[in-house]
Amino acid sequence: MPAQAYSGKECVCQFRRGICDQSCVRDMLATPFYIACLRLSGRRALVVGGGDIGLEKVEGLLACGADVTLVAPEAHPALQELAAEGSITWVRRAYEPADLEGCLMAIAATDDSEVNIQVFNDAEARSMLINVVDVPPLCNFILPAIVRTGPLAVAISTAGASPALAKRMKREIGEMFGEPYATLAILLNDVRGWAKGTLPTYQDRKEFFESIVNGEPDPIALLRAGDVDAVKDLIAAAQSSYQPA
């Protein structure tokens, strides 16, 4: 189970059961999550907590272009450096509800359960996205393990059941779907404008791209062999010969 929610430990969730009995997480594995990719560029995100986990969350948000505000009385040296160079805004004090104003999402990563619960309640009251690290009942979204290669992103979630398994899957998926897939995605994106301007219907465009991706010779095999030009030739041949229905 998540690191901060296991039977016998002091309760860390909003139900305040005293000693955790895991009742708050029993439905997690049966919960259907709506998977989405968020465009965070230029959007405000709040991180409460300046420790190692806070640093991890800040770095993940910065990688996606978010405008990050950190609220914490003290912060990891790396977070201090990010603030000093202007990459994040560091509000050096305890959390206040007004810190949420104007933010799309908040992530609480403190070791104080009462602070985490307050951040959750305040965010929920504003219908915001909120994640309290390792406490599923204090989250309305979860953060999956992510494999990123160029424009490709693969998300892996075990609904909190086993982070170790998610880590293994991340490694294996990264090995399976690596640079050749990212390169093909870029090459196909380069002809999307042509396809939209030339092929009249969605079905025509779908068939065009599938004829390349699933055709022979296999573009992924060619890219694994380092033959980018051969794939470009495949795409050009498809453009010249494809006739919409």
Side-chain angles (χ1 to χ4, degrees), residues 50-131:
D52 291 340
I53 301 301
L55 172 61
E56 175 189 330
K57 302 309 178 185
V58 165
E59 290 178 335
L61 291 167
L62 288 177
C64 295
D67 178 5
V68 180
T69 296
L70 171 71
V71 174
E74 301 295 333
H76 188 288
L79 288 168
Q80 295 182 35
E81 292 179 11
L82 290 171
E85 70 189 27
S87 295
I88 66 173
T89 299
W90 178 20
V91 181
R92 192 169 182 173
R93 57 162 170 74
Y95 163 78
E96 297 176 1
D99 294 329
L100 295 170
E101 297 304 324
C103 294
L104 173 68
M105 69 166 58
I107 298 175
T110 83
D111 57 5
D112 187 324
S113 295
E114 292 305 314
V115 172
N116 291 339
I117 291 169
Q118 183 183 1
V119 177
F120 172 78
N121 287 335
D122 293 341
E124 279 279 280
R126 291 165 171 77
S127 298
M128 287 176 54
L129 294 172
I130 171 65
N131 177 282

Coordinates of all heavy atoms in Angstrom, one line a residue, residues 50-131:
G50 N 8.9 21.5 1.0 CA 10.2 21.7 0.4 C 11.2 20.7 0.5 O 12.4 20.9 0.4
G51 N 10.8 19.4 0.8 CA 11.8 18.4 1.0 C 12.1 17.6 -0.3 O 11.9 18.2 -1.4
D52 N 12.6 16.4 -0.2 CA 13.0 15.6 -1.3 C 11.9 15.4 -2.3 O 12.0 15.5 -3.5 CB 13.6 14.3 -0.9 CG 15.0 14.5 -0.2 OD1 15.6 15.5 -0.4 OD2 15.4 13.5 0.5
I53 N 10.7 15.0 -1.7 CA 9.5 14.7 -2.5 C 9.0 16.0 -3.2 O 8.6 16.0 -4.4 CB 8.4 14.1 -1.7 CG1 8.9 12.8 -1.1 CG2 7.2 13.8 -2.6 CD1 9.4 11.8 -2.1
G54 N 9.1 17.1 -2.4 CA 8.7 18.4 -3.0 C 9.6 18.7 -4.2 O 9.1 19.2 -5.3
L55 N 10.9 18.5 -4.1 CA 11.8 18.7 -5.2 C 11.4 17.9 -6.4 O 11.4 18.3 -7.6 CB 13.2 18.4 -4.8 CG 14.3 18.4 -5.9 CD1 14.4 19.8 -6.5 CD2 15.6 18.0 -5.3
E56 N 11.1 16.6 -6.2 CA 10.7 15.7 -7.3 C 9.5 16.2 -8.0 O 9.4 16.2 -9.3 CB 10.4 14.3 -6.7 CG 9.9 13.3 -7.8 CD 9.4 12.0 -7.1 OE1 10.0 11.6 -6.1 OE2 8.5 11.4 -7.7
K57 N 8.5 16.7 -7.3 CA 7.3 17.2 -7.9 C 7.5 18.5 -8.6 O 6.9 18.7 -9.7 CB 6.2 17.3 -6.8 CG 5.8 16.1 -6.1 CD 5.6 14.9 -7.0 CE 5.3 13.6 -6.2 NZ 5.2 12.4 -7.1
V58 N 8.3 19.4 -8.0 CA 8.6 20.6 -8.7 C 9.3 20.4 -10.0 O 9.0 21.0 -11.1 CB 9.5 21.5 -7.8 CG1 10.1 22.6 -8.6 CG2 8.7 22.1 -6.7
E59 N 10.3 19.5 -10.0 CA 11.0 19.2 -11.3 C 10.1 18.6 -12.3 O 10.2 18.9 -13.5 CB 12.2 18.2 -11.0 CG 13.3 18.9 -10.2 CD 14.4 17.9 -9.8 OE1 14.2 16.7 -9.8 OE2 15.5 18.3 -9.6
G60 N 9.2 17.7 -11.9 CA 8.2 17.2 -12.9 C 7.3 18.2 -13.5 O 7.0 18.2 -14.7
L61 N 6.9 19.2 -12.7 CA 6.0 20.3 -13.2 C 6.8 21.2 -14.1 O 6.3 21.7 -15.2 CB 5.4 21.1 -12.0 CG 4.4 20.3 -11.2 CD1 4.1 21.0 -9.9 CD2 3.1 20.1 -12.0
L62 N 8.1 21.5 -13.7 CA 8.9 22.4 -14.6 C 9.1 21.8 -15.9 O 9.2 22.5 -17.0 CB 10.2 22.7 -13.9 CG 10.2 23.6 -12.7 CD1 11.5 23.8 -12.1 CD2 9.6 25.0 -13.1
A63 N 9.3 20.4 -15.9 CA 9.6 19.7 -17.2 C 8.4 19.9 -18.2 O 8.6 19.8 -19.4 CB 9.9 18.3 -16.9
C64 N 7.2 20.2 -17.6 CA 6.0 20.3 -18.5 C 5.7 21.8 -18.7 O 4.6 22.1 -19.2 CB 4.9 19.6 -17.9 SG 5.1 17.8 -17.9
G65 N 6.6 22.7 -18.3 CA 6.4 24.1 -18.5 C 5.5 24.8 -17.6 O 5.0 26.0 -17.9
A66 N 5.2 24.2 -16.4 CA 4.3 24.9 -15.5 C 4.9 26.1 -14.8 O 6.1 26.2 -14.7 CB 3.8 23.9 -14.4
D67 N 4.1 27.0 -14.4 CA 4.5 28.2 -13.6 C 4.4 27.7 -12.1 O 3.3 27.8 -11.5 CB 3.7 29.4 -13.9 CG 4.0 30.6 -13.1 OD1 5.0 30.6 -12.3 OD2 3.3 31.6 -13.2
V68 N 5.5 27.4 -11.5 CA 5.5 26.7 -10.2 C 5.7 27.7 -9.0 O 6.7 28.4 -9.0 CB 6.5 25.6 -10.1 CG1 6.5 24.9 -8.8 CG2 6.3 24.6 -11.2
T69 N 4.9 27.6 -8.0 CA 5.0 28.3 -6.8 C 5.2 27.2 -5.7 O 4.5 26.3 -5.5 CB 3.8 29.1 -6.4 OG1 3.7 30.2 -7.4 CG2 4.0 29.8 -5.0
L70 N 6.3 27.4 -4.9 CA 6.6 26.5 -3.8 C 6.3 27.3 -2.5 O 6.8 28.4 -2.3 CB 8.1 26.1 -3.8 CG 8.6 25.4 -2.6 CD1 8.0 24.0 -2.5 CD2 10.1 25.3 -2.5
V71 N 5.6 26.6 -1.6 CA 5.3 27.2 -0.3 C 5.9 26.3 0.7 O 5.5 25.1 0.8 CB 3.8 27.4 0.0 CG1 3.5 27.8 1.4 CG2 3.2 28.4 -1.0
A72 N 6.9 26.8 1.5 CA 7.5 26.0 2.5 C 8.4 26.9 3.3 O 9.1 27.8 2.8 CB 8.4 24.9 1.9
P73 N 8.4 26.7 4.7 CA 9.3 27.6 5.5 C 10.8 27.3 5.2 O 11.6 28.2 5.2 CB 9.0 27.1 6.9 CG 7.6 26.5 6.8 CD 7.6 25.9 5.5
E74 N 11.1 26.1 4.9 CA 12.5 25.7 4.5 C 12.4 24.9 3.2 O 11.4 24.3 2.9 CB 13.2 24.9 5.6 CG 13.3 25.7 6.9 CD 14.2 26.9 6.8 OE1 15.1 26.9 6.0 OE2 14.0 27.8 7.6
A75 N 13.5 24.8 2.5 CA 13.5 24.1 1.2 C 14.8 23.4 1.0 O 15.9 23.8 1.4 CB 13.2 25.0 0.1
H76 N 14.8 22.3 0.2 CA 15.9 21.5 -0.2 C 16.9 22.5 -1.0 O 16.4 23.4 -1.7 CB 15.4 20.4 -1.2 CG 16.5 19.5 -1.6 ND1 17.5 19.8 -2.5 CD2 16.6 18.1 -1.3 CE1 18.2 18.7 -2.7 NE2 17.8 17.7 -2.0
P77 N 18.2 22.3 -0.8 CA 19.1 23.2 -1.5 C 18.9 23.4 -3.0 O 19.0 24.5 -3.6 CB 20.5 22.6 -1.2 CG 20.3 21.9 0.1 CD 18.9 21.4 0.0
A78 N 18.5 22.3 -3.7 CA 18.2 22.4 -5.1 C 17.0 23.2 -5.4 O 16.9 23.9 -6.4 CB 18.0 20.9 -5.7
L79 N 16.0 23.2 -4.5 CA 14.8 24.1 -4.6 C 15.2 25.5 -4.4 O 14.7 26.4 -5.1 CB 13.7 23.7 -3.7 CG 13.0 22.4 -4.0 CD1 12.1 21.9 -2.8 CD2 12.1 22.5 -5.3
Q80 N 16.1 25.8 -3.5 CA 16.6 27.1 -3.2 C 17.3 27.7 -4.5 O 17.2 28.8 -4.8 CB 17.6 27.1 -2.0 CG 16.9 26.8 -0.7 CD 17.8 26.9 0.4 OE1 18.7 27.7 0.5 NE2 17.7 26.0 1.4
E81 N 18.1 26.8 -5.2 CA 18.8 27.2 -6.4 C 17.8 27.5 -7.5 O 17.9 28.5 -8.2 CB 19.7 26.1 -6.8 CG 20.9 25.9 -5.9 CD 21.8 24.7 -6.4 OE1 21.6 24.3 -7.6 OE2 22.7 24.3 -5.7
L82 N 16.7 26.7 -7.6 CA 15.7 27.0 -8.6 C 15.0 28.3 -8.4 O 14.7 29.1 -9.3 CB 14.6 25.9 -8.6 CG 15.1 24.5 -9.2 CD1 14.1 23.4 -9.0 CD2 15.4 24.6 -10.7
A83 N 14.8 28.6 -7.1 CA 14.2 29.9 -6.7 C 15.1 31.1 -7.0 O 14.7 32.1 -7.6 CB 13.8 29.9 -5.3
A84 N 16.4 30.9 -6.7 CA 17.4 31.9 -6.9 C 17.6 32.3 -8.4 O 17.8 33.5 -8.7 CB 18.7 31.5 -6.3
E85 N 17.5 31.3 -9.2 CA 17.6 31.5 -10.7 C 16.3 32.0 -11.3 O 16.3 32.3 -12.5 CB 18.2 30.3 -11.4 CG 17.2 29.2 -11.5 CD 17.8 27.9 -12.0 OE1 19.0 27.6 -11.8 OE2 17.0 27.0 -12.5
G86 N 15.2 32.0 -10.6 CA 14.0 32.5 -11.1 C 13.1 31.5 -11.8 O 12.1 31.8 -12.4
S87 N 13.5 30.2 -11.6 CA 12.7 29.1 -12.3 C 11.4 28.8 -11.5 O 10.5 28.3 -12.1 CB 13.5 27.8 -12.4 OG 14.7 28.0 -13.2
I88 N 11.4 29.1 -10.2 CA 10.2 28.9 -9.4 C 10.0 30.1 -8.5 O 11.0 30.8 -8.3 CB 10.2 27.6 -8.6 CG1 11.3 27.7 -7.5 CG2 10.3 26.4 -9.5 CD1 11.2 26.5 -6.6
T89 N 8.9 30.3 -8.0 CA 8.6 31.3 -6.9 C 8.5 30.5 -5.6 O 7.8 29.6 -5.4 CB 7.3 32.0 -7.2 OG1 7.4 32.7 -8.4 CG2 7.0 33.0 -6.1
W90 N 9.4 30.9 -4.7 CA 9.4 30.3 -3.3 C 8.8 31.3 -2.3 O 9.4 32.3 -2.1 CB 10.8 29.9 -2.9 CG 11.0 29.3 -1.6 CD1 10.0 28.7 -0.8 CD2 12.2 29.3 -0.8 NE1 10.5 28.3 0.4 CE2 11.8 28.6 0.4 CE3 13.5 29.7 -1.0 CZ2 12.7 28.3 1.5 CZ3 14.4 29.4 0.0 CH2 14.0 28.8 1.2
V91 N 7.7 30.9 -1.8 CA 7.1 31.6 -0.7 C 7.5 31.0 0.6 O 7.1 29.9 1.0 CB 5.5 31.6 -0.8 CG1 4.9 32.4 0.3 CG2 5.1 32.2 -2.2
R92 N 8.4 31.7 1.3 CA 9.1 31.1 2.5 C 8.3 31.3 3.8 O 8.6 32.1 4.6 CB 10.5 31.7 2.6 CG 11.4 30.9 3.6 CD 12.8 31.3 3.5 NE 13.6 30.6 4.4 CZ 15.0 30.7 4.4 NH1 15.6 31.5 3.6 NH2 15.6 30.0 5.3
R93 N 7.2 30.5 3.9 CA 6.4 30.5 5.1 C 5.5 29.3 5.0 O 5.5 28.5 4.1 CB 5.5 31.8 5.1 CG 4.7 32.0 3.9 CD 3.6 33.0 4.1 NE 2.9 33.4 2.9 CZ 2.0 32.6 2.3 NH1 1.7 31.4 2.7 NH2 1.4 33.1 1.2
A94 N 4.7 29.2 6.1 CA 3.7 28.1 6.1 C 2.6 28.3 5.1 O 2.3 29.4 4.7 CB 3.1 27.9 7.5
Y95 N 1.9 27.2 4.7 CA 0.8 27.3 3.8 C -0.4 28.1 4.3 O -0.7 28.1 5.5 CB 0.3 25.8 3.5 CG -1.0 25.8 2.8 CD1 -1.2 26.0 1.5 CD2 -2.2 25.5 3.6 CE1 -2.5 26.0 0.9 CE2 -3.4 25.4 3.0 CZ -3.6 25.7 1.7 OH -4.8 25.7 1.1
E96 N -1.0 28.8 3.4 CA -2.2 29.6 3.6 C -3.2 29.3 2.5 O -2.8 29.1 1.4 CB -1.9 31.1 3.7 CG -1.0 31.5 4.9 CD -0.7 33.0 4.8 OE1 -1.2 33.7 4.0 OE2 0.1 33.4 5.7
P97 N -4.5 29.2 2.8 CA -5.5 28.9 1.8 C -5.4 29.8 0.5 O -5.6 29.3 -0.6 CB -6.8 29.1 2.5 CG -6.5 28.8 3.9 CD -5.1 29.3 4.1
A98 N -5.1 31.1 0.7 CA -5.0 32.0 -0.4 C -3.9 31.6 -1.4 O -3.9 32.1 -2.5 CB -4.7 33.4 0.1
D99 N -3.0 30.7 -1.0 CA -1.9 30.3 -1.9 C -2.5 29.5 -3.1 O -1.8 29.4 -4.2 CB -0.9 29.4 -1.2 CG -0.1 30.1 -0.1 OD1 0.1 31.3 -0.3 OD2 0.2 29.4 0.9
L100 N -3.7 29.0 -3.0 CA -4.3 28.2 -4.1 C -4.9 29.1 -5.2 O -5.2 28.6 -6.3 CB -5.4 27.3 -3.5 CG -5.0 26.2 -2.6 CD1 -6.2 25.6 -1.9 CD2 -4.1 25.2 -3.3
E101 N -5.1 30.4 -4.9 CA -5.8 31.2 -5.8 C -5.1 31.3 -7.2 O -3.9 31.6 -7.2 CB -6.0 32.6 -5.3 CG -6.9 32.7 -4.0 CD -8.3 32.1 -4.2 OE1 -8.8 32.2 -5.4 OE2 -8.8 31.4 -3.3
G102 N -5.8 31.1 -8.2 CA -5.2 31.2 -9.6 C -4.5 30.0 -10.0 O -3.9 29.9 -11.1
C103 N -4.4 28.9 -9.2 CA -3.7 27.7 -9.6 C -4.6 26.7 -10.2 O -5.8 26.6 -9.9 CB -3.0 27.1 -8.3 SG -1.7 28.1 -7.6
L104 N -4.1 25.9 -11.2 CA -4.8 24.8 -11.8 C -4.8 23.6 -10.9 O -5.8 22.9 -10.8 CB -4.2 24.5 -13.1 CG -4.7 23.2 -13.8 CD1 -6.2 23.5 -14.3 CD2 -3.9 22.9 -15.0
M105 N -3.6 23.4 -10.2 CA -3.5 22.2 -9.4 C -2.6 22.5 -8.2 O -1.8 23.5 -8.2 CB -2.9 21.0 -10.2 CG -1.4 21.2 -10.6 SD -0.7 19.7 -11.2 CE -1.7 19.3 -12.6
A106 N -2.7 21.6 -7.2 CA -1.8 21.7 -6.1 C -1.3 20.3 -5.7 O -2.0 19.3 -5.9 CB -2.5 22.3 -4.9
I107 N -0.1 20.2 -5.2 CA 0.5 19.0 -4.8 C 1.0 19.3 -3.4 O 1.8 20.2 -3.2 CB 1.7 18.5 -5.7 CG1 1.1 18.2 -7.1 CG2 2.3 17.2 -5.1 CD1 2.2 17.8 -8.1
A108 N 0.6 18.5 -2.4 CA 1.0 18.6 -1.0 C 2.0 17.5 -0.7 O 1.7 16.3 -0.9 CB -0.1 18.6 0.0
A109 N 3.2 17.9 -0.2 CA 4.3 16.9 0.0 C 4.9 17.2 1.3 O 6.2 17.2 1.5 CB 5.3 17.0 -1.1
T110 N 4.1 17.5 2.3 CA 4.7 17.8 3.7 C 4.6 16.5 4.5 O 3.9 15.6 4.2 CB 3.9 18.9 4.4 OG1 2.8 18.4 5.0 CG2 3.5 20.0 3.4
D111 N 5.3 16.6 5.7 CA 5.2 15.5 6.6 C 4.2 15.8 7.8 O 4.2 15.1 8.8 CB 6.6 15.2 7.2 CG 7.3 16.3 7.9 OD1 6.6 17.4 8.0 OD2 8.4 16.2 8.3
D112 N 3.4 16.8 7.6 CA 2.4 17.2 8.6 C 1.0 16.9 8.0 O 0.5 17.5 7.1 CB 2.5 18.7 8.8 CG 1.7 19.2 9.9 OD1 0.5 18.7 10.1 OD2 2.1 20.1 10.7
S113 N 0.4 15.9 8.6 CA -0.9 15.4 8.1 C -2.0 16.5 8.2 O -2.8 16.6 7.3 CB -1.4 14.2 9.0 OG -0.6 13.1 8.8
E114 N -2.0 17.3 9.2 CA -3.0 18.4 9.3 C -2.8 19.4 8.2 O -3.8 19.9 7.6 CB -2.9 19.0 10.7 CG -3.3 18.1 11.8 CD -4.7 17.6 11.6 OE1 -5.6 18.3 11.3 OE2 -4.9 16.3 11.8
V115 N -1.6 19.7 7.8 CA -1.4 20.6 6.7 C -1.9 20.0 5.4 O -2.6 20.6 4.6 CB 0.1 21.0 6.6 CG1 0.3 21.8 5.3 CG2 0.5 21.8 7.8
N116 N -1.5 18.7 5.2 CA -1.9 18.0 4.0 C -3.5 18.0 3.9 O -4.0 18.2 2.8 CB -1.4 16.6 4.0 CG 0.1 16.6 3.8 OD1 0.7 17.5 3.3 ND2 0.7 15.5 4.2
I117 N -4.1 17.7 5.0 CA -5.6 17.6 5.0 C -6.2 19.0 4.7 O -7.1 19.1 3.9 CB -6.1 17.1 6.3 CG1 -5.7 15.6 6.5 CG2 -7.6 17.3 6.5 CD1 -6.0 15.1 7.9
Q118 N -5.6 20.0 5.2 CA -6.1 21.4 4.9 C -5.9 21.7 3.5 O -6.9 22.3 2.9 CB -5.4 22.4 5.8 CG -6.0 23.8 5.6 CD -5.2 24.9 6.4 OE1 -4.3 24.6 7.1 NE2 -5.7 26.2 6.2
V119 N -4.8 21.4 2.9 CA -4.6 21.7 1.5 C -5.6 21.0 0.6 O -6.2 21.5 -0.3 CB -3.1 21.3 1.0 CG1 -3.0 21.6 -0.5 CG2 -2.1 22.2 1.8
F120 N -5.8 19.7 1.0 CA -6.8 18.9 0.2 C -8.2 19.5 0.3 O -8.9 19.7 -0.7 CB -6.9 17.5 0.8 CG -8.0 16.7 0.2 CD1 -7.9 16.1 -1.0 CD2 -9.1 16.4 1.0 CE1 -9.0 15.3 -1.5 CE2 -10.2 15.7 0.5 CZ -10.1 15.1 -0.8
N121 N -8.6 19.9 1.6 CA -10.0 20.4 1.7 C -10.1 21.8 1.0 O -11.2 22.0 0.4 CB -10.3 20.6 3.2 CG -10.5 19.3 3.9 OD1 -10.9 18.3 3.3 ND2 -10.3 19.2 5.2
D122 N -9.1 22.6 1.1 CA -9.2 23.9 0.5 C -9.2 23.8 -1.0 O -10.0 24.5 -1.7 CB -8.0 24.8 0.9 CG -8.0 25.1 2.4 OD1 -9.0 25.1 3.0 OD2 -6.9 25.5 2.9
A123 N -8.5 22.8 -1.6 CA -8.5 22.6 -3.0 C -9.8 22.0 -3.5 O -10.3 22.4 -4.5 CB -7.3 21.8 -3.4
E124 N -10.3 21.1 -2.8 CA -11.6 20.5 -3.1 C -12.7 21.5 -3.1 O -13.6 21.5 -4.0 CB -11.9 19.4 -2.1 CG -11.2 18.1 -2.4 CD -12.0 17.3 -3.5 OE1 -13.0 16.6 -3.2 OE2 -11.5 17.3 -4.6
A125 N -12.7 22.4 -2.2 CA -13.7 23.5 -2.1 C -13.6 24.4 -3.3 O -14.6 25.0 -3.7 CB -13.5 24.3 -0.8
R126 N -12.5 24.4 -4.0 CA -12.3 25.3 -5.2 C -12.4 24.5 -6.5 O -12.1 24.9 -7.5 CB -10.9 26.0 -5.1 CG -10.8 27.0 -4.0 CD -9.4 27.4 -3.8 NE -9.2 28.6 -2.9 CZ -9.4 28.6 -1.6 NH1 -9.6 27.4 -1.0 NH2 -9.2 29.7 -0.9
S127 N -12.7 23.2 -6.3 CA -12.8 22.3 -7.5 C -11.5 22.2 -8.3 O -11.5 22.1 -9.5 CB -14.0 22.7 -8.4 OG -15.2 22.6 -7.8
M128 N -10.4 22.2 -7.5 CA -9.1 22.1 -8.1 C -8.6 20.7 -8.2 O -9.0 19.8 -7.4 CB -8.1 23.0 -7.3 CG -8.2 24.4 -7.4 SD -7.1 25.3 -6.3 CE -5.5 24.5 -6.8
L129 N -7.6 20.5 -9.0 CA -6.8 19.2 -9.0 C -5.9 19.2 -7.8 O -5.2 20.2 -7.5 CB -6.0 19.1 -10.3 CG -6.8 18.9 -11.5 CD1 -5.9 19.0 -12.7 CD2 -7.6 17.6 -11.5
I130 N -6.0 18.2 -7.0 CA -5.1 18.1 -5.8 C -4.6 16.7 -5.6 O -5.3 15.7 -5.7 CB -5.9 18.5 -4.5 CG1 -5.2 18.3 -3.2 CG2 -7.3 17.9 -4.5 CD1 -3.9 19.1 -3.1
N131 N -3.3 16.6 -5.2 CA -2.7 15.4 -5.0 C -1.8 15.5 -3.7 O -1.0 16.4 -3.6 CB -1.8 14.9 -6.1 CG -1.0 13.7 -5.8 OD1 0.0 13.7 -5.1 ND2 -1.4 12.6 -6.5

